[in-house]
Amino acid sequence: PETIGRSLDRFRDETIDEVALGDGQRPTGLLVHDVATGRVRAVTNLDWSAADDLPLISAADAPERAAAFVAAAALPDPSGTPDVRWDDAADAWEVRWPRVVDGWPVPIDDLVVYVRRGGRLSSLAAPQTPLADRPASTVPVANALAAARGFVTNHGLARVPGLTIESLGPSWTE
């Protein structure tokens, strides 16, 4: 392995290393991790073989294979049922587990693993955005929607074609 870049993630105030992985003659992957903790943020497999294109695993098999890659990266076991779909652009199964904190989804922090049809890792992304403290109280959905509609009305936004106000459900954000 060879460190090819070190940078400061200003949002998280963490130093990040990008490490090139290789077989001595050519790059075969890229690892991004937090220097202080060693926590893996992302892994990309740059090495391709003909077996990667063989249709060996199905959508039903992809989560188990993806969970094995998560374990190999020393990340916590994903919980819940992942969303699995074929991604034509990546030519791989996309296996996505949402991050949930105290029962609230964190929309931008999904653990995402791409598994090639032959069962090998294509890539893994494991962001963990720092979160604001849990609120002392929450606003009922009806009150939040009423406040949003009032804002739209009071600021002349009701004239915007196609503008709608709807609840997207609770989520935890910074």
Side-chain angles (χ1 to χ4, degrees):
E2 172 190 352
T3 300
I4 57 173
R6 178 167 279 185
S7 60
L8 176 65
D9 181 334
R10 294 183 193 287
F11 184 68
R12 294 182 178 105
D13 194 30
E14 297 172 348
T15 302
I16 303 301
D17 268 354
E18 293 182 4
V19 179
L21 308 172
D23 63 8
Q25 297 182 2
R26 62 191 172 89
T28 59
L30 178 69
L31 170 69
V32 179
H33 69 95
D34 178 324
V35 172
T37 65
R39 183 184 180 283
V40 172
R41 290 257 193 108
V43 179
T44 302
N45 181 0
L46 304 173
D47 190 28
W48 177 88
S49 78
D52 288 341
D53 287 341
L54 298 175
L56 301 178
I57 67 167
S58 66
D61 298 327
E64 183 178 343
R65 186 67 69 132
F69 293 128
V70 170
L75 294 168
D77 289 337
S79 61
T81 304
D83 179 40
V84 180
R85 69 177 187 89
W86 180 255
D87 185 316
D88 283 327
D91 199 28
W93 291 108
E94 177 189 89
V95 182
R96 180 179 294 269
W97 286 274
R99 179 178 176 201
V100 178
V101 176
D102 291 340
W104 294 70
V106 182
I108 60 172
D109 275 3
D110 290 355
L111 170 60
V112 183
V113 180
Y114 285 91
V115 181
R116 293 180 178 154
R117 69 176 91 215
R120 291 184 8 152
L121 175 70
S122 176
S123 66
L124 177 151
Q128 275 212 326
T129 305
L131 299 174
D133 292 335
R134 182 181 180 95
S137 63
T138 58
V139 176
V141 172
N143 294 7
L145 289 171
R149 288 186 185 107
F151 180 87
V152 165
T153 300
N154 294 335
H155 289 84
L157 299 174
R159 61 183 162 68
V160 175
L163 178 68
T164 60
I165 306 289
E166 61 186 71
S167 172
L168 300 176
S171 65
W172 196 311
T173 60
E174 172 62 72

Coordinates of all heavy atoms in Angstrom, one line a residue, residues 139-173:
V139 N -41.4 18.5 16.6 CA -42.6 19.2 16.1 C -43.5 18.2 15.4 O -43.1 17.4 14.6 CB -42.1 20.3 15.1 CG1 -43.3 21.0 14.5 CG2 -41.2 21.3 15.7
P140 N -44.8 18.2 15.8 CA -45.7 17.3 15.1 C -45.7 17.6 13.6 O -45.6 18.8 13.2 CB -47.1 17.6 15.8 CG -46.7 18.2 17.1 CD -45.4 19.0 16.9
V141 N -45.9 16.6 12.8 CA -45.9 16.7 11.4 C -46.9 17.8 10.9 O -46.6 18.6 10.1 CB -46.2 15.4 10.7 CG1 -46.4 15.6 9.2 CG2 -45.1 14.4 11.0
A142 N -48.1 17.8 11.5 CA -49.2 18.7 11.1 C -48.7 20.2 11.3 O -48.9 21.0 10.5 CB -50.5 18.5 11.8
N143 N -48.0 20.4 12.4 CA -47.5 21.8 12.7 C -46.4 22.2 11.7 O -46.3 23.3 11.3 CB -47.0 21.8 14.1 CG -48.0 21.7 15.2 OD1 -49.2 21.4 14.9 ND2 -47.7 21.8 16.5
A144 N -45.5 21.2 11.4 CA -44.4 21.5 10.5 C -45.0 21.8 9.1 O -44.5 22.8 8.4 CB -43.5 20.3 10.4
L145 N -46.0 21.0 8.7 CA -46.6 21.3 7.3 C -47.3 22.6 7.3 O -47.2 23.4 6.4 CB -47.6 20.2 7.0 CG -46.9 18.8 6.6 CD1 -47.9 17.8 6.5 CD2 -46.1 19.0 5.3
A146 N -48.0 23.0 8.4 CA -48.7 24.3 8.5 C -47.7 25.4 8.5 O -47.9 26.4 7.8 CB -49.5 24.4 9.8
A147 N -46.6 25.3 9.1 CA -45.5 26.3 9.1 C -44.9 26.5 7.7 O -44.7 27.6 7.2 CB -44.4 26.0 10.1
A148 N -44.7 25.4 7.0 CA -44.2 25.4 5.6 C -45.2 26.1 4.7 O -44.8 26.9 3.9 CB -43.8 24.0 5.2
R149 N -46.5 25.7 4.8 CA -47.5 26.3 4.0 C -47.6 27.8 4.3 O -47.8 28.6 3.3 CB -48.8 25.6 4.2 CG -48.8 24.3 3.6 CD -50.2 23.6 3.7 NE -50.1 22.3 3.2 CZ -50.2 21.2 3.9 NH1 -50.3 21.3 5.2 NH2 -50.1 20.0 3.4
G150 N -47.5 28.2 5.5 CA -47.5 29.6 5.9 C -46.3 30.4 5.3 O -46.5 31.5 4.8
F151 N -45.2 29.8 5.3 CA -44.0 30.4 4.7 C -44.2 30.6 3.2 O -43.9 31.7 2.7 CB -42.7 29.5 5.0 CG -41.5 30.1 4.4 CD1 -40.7 31.0 5.2 CD2 -41.0 29.8 3.1 CE1 -39.5 31.5 4.6 CE2 -39.9 30.3 2.6 CZ -39.1 31.2 3.4
V152 N -44.7 29.6 2.6 CA -44.9 29.7 1.1 C -45.9 30.8 0.8 O -45.7 31.6 -0.1 CB -45.5 28.3 0.6 CG1 -46.1 28.5 -0.8 CG2 -44.3 27.3 0.6
T153 N -47.0 30.9 1.6 CA -48.0 31.9 1.4 C -47.4 33.3 1.6 O -47.6 34.2 0.8 CB -49.2 31.7 2.2 OG1 -49.8 30.4 1.9 CG2 -50.3 32.7 2.1
N154 N -46.8 33.5 2.8 CA -46.3 34.8 3.2 C -45.1 35.3 2.3 O -44.9 36.5 2.3 CB -45.8 34.7 4.7 CG -47.0 34.5 5.6 OD1 -48.1 34.8 5.3 ND2 -46.7 33.9 6.8
H155 N -44.5 34.4 1.6 CA -43.4 34.9 0.8 C -43.7 34.8 -0.7 O -42.8 34.9 -1.6 CB -42.1 34.0 1.1 CG -41.5 34.3 2.4 ND1 -42.0 33.8 3.6 CD2 -40.5 35.2 2.8 CE1 -41.3 34.2 4.6 NE2 -40.4 35.1 4.2
G156 N -44.9 34.7 -1.1 CA -45.4 34.7 -2.5 C -44.9 33.6 -3.3 O -44.9 33.6 -4.5
L157 N -44.6 32.5 -2.6 CA -44.1 31.3 -3.4 C -45.2 30.4 -3.9 O -45.0 29.5 -4.7 CB -43.2 30.5 -2.5 CG -41.9 31.2 -2.0 CD1 -41.2 30.3 -1.0 CD2 -41.1 31.6 -3.2
A158 N -46.5 30.7 -3.5 CA -47.6 29.9 -4.0 C -47.8 30.0 -5.5 O -48.4 29.1 -6.1 CB -48.9 30.3 -3.2
R159 N -47.2 31.0 -6.1 CA -47.4 31.2 -7.5 C -46.4 30.4 -8.3 O -46.5 30.3 -9.5 CB -47.1 32.7 -7.9 CG -45.8 33.2 -7.5 CD -45.7 34.7 -7.8 NE -44.6 35.4 -7.1 CZ -43.3 35.2 -7.3 NH1 -42.9 34.3 -8.2 NH2 -42.4 35.8 -6.6
V160 N -45.4 29.7 -7.7 CA -44.5 28.8 -8.4 C -45.2 27.6 -8.9 O -45.8 26.8 -8.1 CB -43.3 28.4 -7.4 CG1 -42.4 27.5 -8.1 CG2 -42.6 29.7 -6.9
P161 N -45.2 27.4 -10.2 CA -45.9 26.2 -10.8 C -45.3 24.9 -10.3 O -44.1 24.7 -10.2 CB -45.6 26.3 -12.3 CG -45.1 27.7 -12.6 CD -44.5 28.2 -11.3
G162 N -46.2 24.0 -9.9 CA -45.8 22.7 -9.5 C -45.3 22.6 -8.1 O -44.9 21.5 -7.6
L163 N -45.2 23.7 -7.3 CA -44.8 23.7 -5.9 C -45.7 22.9 -5.1 O -46.9 23.2 -5.1 CB -44.6 25.1 -5.4 CG -44.1 25.2 -3.9 CD1 -42.7 24.7 -3.8 CD2 -44.3 26.6 -3.4
T164 N -45.2 21.9 -4.3 CA -46.0 21.2 -3.4 C -45.3 21.1 -2.1 O -44.1 21.2 -2.0 CB -46.3 19.7 -3.9 OG1 -45.0 19.1 -4.0 CG2 -47.0 19.7 -5.2
I165 N -46.1 21.0 -1.0 CA -45.6 20.8 0.3 C -46.1 19.5 0.8 O -47.3 19.1 0.8 CB -46.2 21.9 1.3 CG1 -45.9 23.3 0.7 CG2 -45.6 21.7 2.7 CD1 -44.5 23.8 0.8
E166 N -45.1 18.6 1.2 CA -45.5 17.3 1.8 C -44.5 16.9 2.8 O -43.3 17.3 2.8 CB -45.6 16.3 0.6 CG -44.3 16.1 -0.1 CD -44.4 15.2 -1.3 OE1 -45.0 15.6 -2.3 OE2 -43.9 14.1 -1.2
S167 N -44.9 16.0 3.6 CA -44.0 15.4 4.6 C -43.1 14.3 4.0 O -43.6 13.4 3.4 CB -44.8 14.9 5.8 OG -43.9 14.2 6.7
L168 N -41.8 14.4 4.3 CA -40.9 13.3 3.8 C -40.6 12.4 4.9 O -39.8 11.4 4.8 CB -39.6 13.9 3.3 CG -39.8 14.9 2.1 CD1 -38.4 15.5 1.7 CD2 -40.4 14.1 0.9
G169 N -41.3 12.6 6.1 CA -41.0 11.7 7.3 C -39.9 12.3 8.1 O -39.2 13.2 7.7
P170 N -39.7 11.7 9.3 CA -38.7 12.2 10.1 C -37.3 11.8 9.6 O -37.1 10.8 9.0 CB -39.0 11.6 11.5 CG -39.7 10.3 11.1 CD -40.5 10.6 9.9
S171 N -36.3 12.7 9.9 CA -34.9 12.3 9.6 C -34.0 13.1 10.6 O -34.4 14.1 11.1 CB -34.6 12.6 8.2 OG -34.6 14.0 7.9
W172 N -32.8 12.6 10.7 CA -31.8 13.2 11.6 C -30.8 13.8 10.7 O -30.1 13.2 9.9 CB -31.2 12.1 12.5 CG -30.5 12.7 13.7 CD1 -29.6 13.7 13.7 CD2 -30.6 12.2 15.0 NE1 -29.1 13.8 15.0 CE2 -29.7 12.9 15.8 CE3 -31.3 11.2 15.6 CZ2 -29.5 12.7 17.1 CZ3 -31.2 11.0 17.0 CH2 -30.3 11.8 17.7
T173 N -30.5 15.1 10.9 CA -29.5 15.8 10.1 C -28.7 16.7 11.0 O -29.1 17.0 12.1 CB -30.2 16.7 9.0 OG1 -31.0 17.7 9.6 CG2 -30.9 15.8 8.0

